[in-house]
Amino acid sequence: MAVSAPSTSSQHWSATTYAANAHFVPTLGQPVLDLLQPRSGERILDLGCGDGVLTEKLVALGAQVVAIDSSPDMIATALQRGIDARVMDARTLGFESEFDAVFSNAVLHWIKDDPDAPIAGAFRALRAGGRFVGELGGHACVGAITVALVATLERRGVKDAVSRIPWYFPTAEDYELRLERAGFVPRTVELIPRPTPLPTGMRGWLDTFANPFTAALPGEERCGFLDEVTALLKPILCDADGRWTADYTRIRFAAIKP
Ligand code: BEZ
């Protein structure tokens, strides 16, 4: 429940960089854990566990957790925490009617090419009556950051920079429809604005999450590119004391397999 999506987008994941710049992702996962209400003894699938920081909380509550992530580096870190963690693509989950709940935090927005695939996999993985509870970026999430990345790339001569956006940020209506089409009965699907303080500033965020954009440029241009994006965003996302806040929105949802 944290992080890494299938590598369709040239995004690469380092557990070390993630821990340094994005430890707020699992920390801010508490509301979706509260929505899940995990009970001791339940079998829970953590879809996109990242380095396992949030997974540990489920285990501490007495759940029997299987955690999957597409990043071998993240899974290695989760295994060091003693978690039953496996490298697996969220689009091709191989579980059948065996979990009481499927949980996901901050990973489903990385599956832009086929957002229905993890929903279908979660449905298959659940027993009847089981619940799918999660959170992902919502419509207009990191809108200012995305515009700055795309405009700066195009200024440097990269054509069709919009096609490099790696994220799927749905509206609540879109996500609810997808859940229903997969067979779920949605209980709640909410779009929540969540301005998010960045502990290591915009540069730390870009170093962690903007690889699909920087990959369009030769190595020697990348640092200048990130400086330019940061300068463009400063008047909007950085306050007078130098504190950066990203323009996040979330979709938080809970749905039942009938
Ligand atoms: C997230 O981890 O929630 C996130 C990552 C990249 C862009 C927006 C949100």
Side-chain angles (χ1 to χ4, degrees):
M1 40 185 125
V3 152
S4 32
S7 53
T8 52
S9 60
S10 71
Q11 172 65 27
H12 55 81
W13 298 101
S14 147
T16 311
T17 306
Y18 193 79
N21 296 326
H23 54 82
F24 62 86
V25 175
T27 305
L28 295 175
Q30 190 59 43
V32 70
L33 265 189
D34 294 343
L35 187 62
L36 175 68
Q37 294 193 309
R39 291 182 287 270
S40 183
E42 280 194 316
R43 269 181 67 71
I44 298 180
L45 174 64
D46 183 357
L47 197 170
C49 64
D51 59 8
V53 169
L54 209 44
T55 323
E56 265 186 334
K57 291 195 179 184
L58 291 176
V59 173
L61 291 165
Q64 294 170 33
V65 185
V66 174
I68 69 111
D69 202 284
S70 67
S71 159
D73 195 44
M74 291 291 190
I75 287 296
T77 306
L79 285 168
Q80 281 165 15
R81 297 184 197 277
I83 292 164
D84 177 353
R86 309 170 191 181
V87 177
M88 196 182 285
D89 188 322
R91 294 168 299 187
T92 53
L93 295 175
F95 304 103
E96 290 288 337
S97 306
E98 55 191 281
F99 290 100
D100 300 301
V102 175
F103 178 77
S104 184
N105 183 51
V107 67
L108 296 167
H109 52 250
W110 288 100
I111 306 174
K112 184 187 178 184
D113 63 335
D114 192 358
D116 292 318
I119 301 175
F123 191 86
R124 284 194 306 274
L126 287 166
R127 63 162 175 79
R131 58 209 194 279
F132 182 26
V133 177
E135 192 171 298
L136 65 153
H139 181 65
C141 187
V142 294
I145 299 173
T146 305
V147 169
L149 285 162
V150 167
T152 308
L153 266 191
E154 296 216 335
R155 205 155 57 200
R156 284 172 176 256
V158 174
K159 299 260 184 301
D160 192 22
V162 165
S163 69
R164 295 187 170 269
I165 298 172
W167 308 298
Y168 157 69
F169 291 137
T171 61
E173 293 74 18
D174 174 356
Y175 212 70
E176 185 163 0
L177 203 60
R178 288 180 192 276
L179 289 166
E180 283 170 350
R181 281 205 306 250
F184 282 108
V185 178
R187 287 280 188 253
T188 175
V189 184
E190 260 189 297
L191 180 72
I192 302 161
R194 196 199 66 194
T196 299
L198 301 179
T200 54
M202 183 49 59
R203 209 37 200 274
W205 192 93
L206 293 170
D207 285 342
T208 311
F209 294 119
N211 318 146
F213 299 92
T214 46
L217 295 169
E220 65 276 12
E221 271 194 51
R222 292 179 184 174
C223 192
F225 165 68
L226 293 178
D227 285 345
E228 218 176 307
V229 172
T230 303
L232 199 57
L233 287 167
K234 197 167 180 214
I236 312 298
L237 298 180
C238 186
D239 70 16
D241 296 320
R243 286 182 299 243
W244 286 86
T245 302
D247 49 343
Y248 274 41
T249 70
R250 315 309 282 167
I251 293 285
R252 193 174 299 147
F253 67 90
I256 305 294
K257 176 175 176 175

